[in-house]
Amino acid sequence: MVWEMIAVDLKEIKKHADALDDSKKREPLKKAKRLLIIGAFLLLLGFFAFYFNDTQQLYGNDEESILKVIHSIEGYENNSIEIVAIKDMNDRRYAGFLSNNNPGYIQFQKNKDGNYRWQHIEVNVNEAFSAFAPEPRLFMIVTNEENKIAKMQVSVNGQEIEQEFTPYKASVTWMFLPKTEKSHYTFQNYKYYDKDGELIN
């Protein structure tokens, strides 16, 4: 009887030992499976985050979407925005606009998908006539209906330049500066004239 009990106990011990060995063998597999599931979940999460962000991204592909982009930018959410003019130059897009009647412009860059992502925005407050320089040789003159300047004369690196404007009207004028061998431009002797040709002091 005693030997039978010992034999039974030995069988039980062996059974538990075998079960323990199987458990130890399966443990690395369980860990690997858990890591695989976690990795797949994170990958899926990253994909959805990227997809959601991409679908929510606003682009300046037309006038309506440019308005949406401007209104999405902090500080411009509730402003009255009027797009005055849009111009494309290679992969860049410039839009002159009025924000609460203040002249400004926004710059976009075309991405590989052909969409225009905004890069820079600038507004000059309490001005009727504002000059912006988005590129080294490009000037954007943005005006509102209070602008009374009809003509501007300026010396650029010693060369006299004259530019006309439409007074008392929201407008964007694109000025391309003359090429120069110098590393910079020098602007001197600004003169502004009204619609009657009178010098504005």
Side-chain angles (χ1 to χ4, degrees):
M1 180 68 71
V2 174
W3 290 109
E4 288 179 0
M5 289 177 63
I6 292 172
V8 170
D9 287 343
L10 287 173
K11 285 181 181 178
E12 289 296 323
I13 291 170
K14 188 175 184 305
K15 189 187 292 184
H16 286 300
D18 290 343
L20 190 61
D21 286 343
D22 289 342
S23 176
K24 286 181 178 179
K25 288 176 182 176
R26 286 196 297 269
E27 194 170 330
L29 292 175
K30 286 182 179 178
K31 284 184 179 179
K33 187 181 281 187
R34 276 200 300 269
L35 288 173
L36 191 63
I37 292 171
I38 291 170
F41 175 75
L42 291 174
L43 193 64
L44 196 63
L45 191 66
F47 170 78
F48 279 116
F50 174 80
Y51 177 79
F52 179 78
N53 181 65
D54 192 60
T55 54
Q56 294 299 308
Q57 174 70 50
L58 293 173
Y59 299 107
N61 293 340
D62 53 34
E63 183 173 331
E64 183 180 353
S65 60
I66 289 173
L67 282 170
K68 289 180 180 178
V69 170
I70 296 173
H71 278 132
S72 72
I73 299 171
E74 185 178 357
Y76 297 89
E77 300 95 329
N78 301 313
N79 288 11
S80 172
I81 305 296
E82 177 190 349
I83 304 297
V84 181
I86 302 169
K87 190 175 186 67
D88 292 342
M89 297 182 187
N90 299 319
D91 289 336
R92 291 179 298 279
R93 170 168 290 174
Y94 300 102
F97 66 92
L98 300 178
S99 174
N100 291 341
N101 208 39
N102 296 305
Y105 85 98
I106 185 169
Q107 177 179 333
F108 297 87
Q109 181 72 34
K110 185 191 285 187
N111 64 17
K112 59 182 177 62
D113 298 319
N115 295 313
Y116 287 88
R117 301 188 70 161
W118 84 274
Q119 288 189 319
H120 179 76
I121 189 169
E122 190 173 339
V123 171
N124 288 341
V125 180
N126 298 326
E127 291 187 6
F129 179 102
S130 290
F132 302 97
E135 295 187 22
R137 292 186 57 231
L138 172 65
F139 261 46
M140 281 179 69
I141 312 295
V142 185
T143 67
N144 63 23
E145 294 178 353
E146 298 174 7
N147 167 56
K148 59 184 180 180
I149 296 172
K151 185 172 69 174
M152 177 183 73
Q153 291 177 341
V154 60
S155 175
V156 181
N157 287 359
Q159 182 177 341
E160 192 77 19
I161 291 180
E162 185 173 290
Q163 180 67 52
E164 294 185 352
F165 308 95
T166 303
Y168 304 107
K169 181 182 178 181
S171 67
V172 176
T173 303
W174 314 89
M175 287 181 60
F176 292 91
L177 302 179
K179 290 183 178 180
T180 178
E181 295 180 356
K182 296 182 179 180
S183 59
H184 63 281
Y185 285 94
T186 302
F187 301 89
Q188 295 176 316
N189 304 323
Y190 281 95
K191 293 179 182 178
Y192 301 98
Y193 300 86
D194 63 18
K195 62 183 180 62
D196 298 318
E198 297 293 327
L199 186 65
I200 299 173
N201 295 322

